[in-house]
Amino acid sequence: MDTTKIQLQNITHVYVNSTEANTAIENINLDVKTGEFVSIVGPSGCGKSTILSCIAGLLKPTCGKILIDNIAITKPSSKVGYMLQSDYLFDWRTIFKNACIGLEVMKQLTKETEEYALHLLKEMGLAKYKDHYPSQLSGGMRQRAALVRTLAAKPDVLLLDEPFSALDYQNKLKLEDLVSMTLKKHNKTAILVTHDIAEAIAMSDRIIIMDNYPGKIKETVIIPDEIRNTVPFSAREVEGFYDIFHKIWKELDVDEQ
Ligand code: ADP
Ligand code: MG
């Protein structure tokens, strides 16, 4: 059964400082279903990160309401995991200790939750490295460790803000597959912000294209089943992939003129 997980109702956010007010996003309406993977693409500064920060409960929108499971978001919650471009691993903690930090902060560190973190490390191919320190790992491995840390708290919703953009191309493609399969397996709901159109098409059920000044939703692109049901790496070879790519490219290119 399709249930709505996240609802953005008329979200507007204005950043105010002593000299100016900047309307970052205006009248954003978006429903995301349980288990759905939605990507947001758009020009730099159109408010993509602002939207994620609002959903994460880190930023209170100036107007509008955000609901998760029909309950209004007022503060950060363990239901929502946030993953960013920088992995924010602590250099003085081992990979395992880094993976458990969210649990520790929320006072949820038990034998059972530790086992789960260990299970996720195994799933991500990091079991061997659990006692290593972040500086001993490659960028791709560090991002996988950050993903384990995010998933260890068992969030229902994952917010991914350009999590692959600092990686080299091969690692990025590998991690796309791993993240996509892991989220599907655990039936997580996800919103990915990316500037990589191919990544958005390969990973998503639906793509939201945003416009600038102020940031608003310009168009929604539904990804056909043949692409959705294929792992991101191979999705790029499915017929029709590049038609969607060019369509989105054109939409974004118009904004730059
Ligand atoms: P994106 O993630 O799409 O690049 P952001 O959400 O980071 O966009 O920013 C949207 C707009 O809000 C931009 O004009 C940016 O300069 C502005 N902005 C972002 N964060 C702040 C802030 N903390 N204070 C003031 N303005 C901000
Ligand atoms: Mg951003």
Side-chain angles (χ1 to χ4, degrees):
M1 196 184 68
D2 279 351
T3 51
T4 305
K5 190 75 189 177
I6 310 167
Q7 284 172 274
L8 273 65
Q9 300 177 340
N10 260 314
I11 300 300
T12 292
H13 190 70
V14 184
Y15 287 103
V16 183
N17 63 28
S18 53
T19 53
E20 55 176 13
N22 174 10
T23 305
I25 47 171
E26 194 170 67
N27 291 330
I28 304 283
N29 285 291
L30 178 67
D31 280 5
V32 181
K33 292 198 282 278
T34 301
E36 195 179 15
F37 195 115
V38 171
S39 286
I40 305 178
V41 297
S44 182
C46 72
K48 304 180 292 295
S49 297
T50 301
I51 292 177
L52 292 197
S53 297
C54 289
I55 301 172
L58 296 168
L59 198 63
K60 188 184 176 323
T62 313
C63 303
K65 225 198 259 173
I66 298 178
L67 308 175
I68 294 187
D69 293 329
N70 288 315
I71 297 166
I73 290 285
T74 52
K75 57 178 186 333
S77 110
S78 58
K79 261 191 183 179
V80 181
Y82 206 168
M83 199 175 152
L84 304 161
Q85 182 179 340
S86 167
D87 55 54
Y88 295 106
L89 295 175
F90 294 113
D91 281 334
W92 60 90
R93 292 177 73 113
T94 63
I95 293 304
F96 182 61
K97 289 264 182 197
N98 264 291
C100 292
I101 195 149
L103 297 168
E104 222 176 282
V105 170
M106 292 183 298
K107 303 203 177 350
Q108 289 174 0
L109 199 61
T110 61
K111 191 134 192 65
E112 200 186 348
T113 56
E114 267 193 5
E115 296 259 310
Y116 184 61
L118 204 53
H119 164 78
L120 288 168
L121 282 175
K122 272 191 200 134
E123 233 179 50
M124 303 282 161
L126 288 173
K128 269 204 317 221
Y129 303 94
K130 72 179 184 55
D131 298 319
H132 284 54
Y133 288 88
S135 60
Q136 298 173 287
L137 268 57
S138 70
M141 290 159 91
R142 292 176 60 121
Q143 251 336 26
R144 276 186 273 154
L147 182 64
V148 171
R149 181 192 52 201
T150 309
L151 291 174
K154 295 200 172 165
D156 300 337
V157 170
L158 267 113
L159 305 174
L160 307 162
D161 199 344
E162 310 208 14
F164 314 120
S165 59
L167 303 176
D168 61 70
Y169 193 61
Q170 248 172 338
N171 269 310
K172 176 187 162 91
L173 293 187
K174 278 193 216 157
L175 203 56
E176 279 176 21
D177 276 11
L178 187 66
V179 169
S180 175
M181 288 190 284
T182 309
L183 299 193
K184 273 211 175 100
K185 184 171 151 199
H186 298 276
N187 198 32
K188 307 285 186 198
T189 308
I191 304 182
L192 168 74
V193 163
T194 179
H195 59 255
D196 181 336
I197 301 171
E199 178 175 290
I201 303 168
M203 294 195 73
S204 314
D205 299 312
R206 185 156 52 113
I207 299 177
I208 307 296
I209 305 175
M210 286 185 67
D211 215 353
N212 232 338
Y213 312 117
K216 54 193 164 307
I217 294 177
K218 185 181 183 190
E219 216 188 306
T220 299
V221 177
I222 311 277
I223 305 301
D225 288 349
E226 311 84 83
I227 298 176
R228 285 180 41 213
N229 297 333
T230 311
V231 290
F233 184 81
S234 314
R236 287 166 165 84
E237 280 144 43
V238 173
E239 204 186 322
F241 185 93
Y242 282 94
D243 295 335
I244 302 174
F245 184 97
H246 291 302
K247 179 184 154 85
I248 298 175
W249 178 276
K250 252 167 111 178
E251 290 288 344
L252 294 174
D253 213 24
V254 172
D255 294 330
E256 304 295 328
Q257 284 163 12

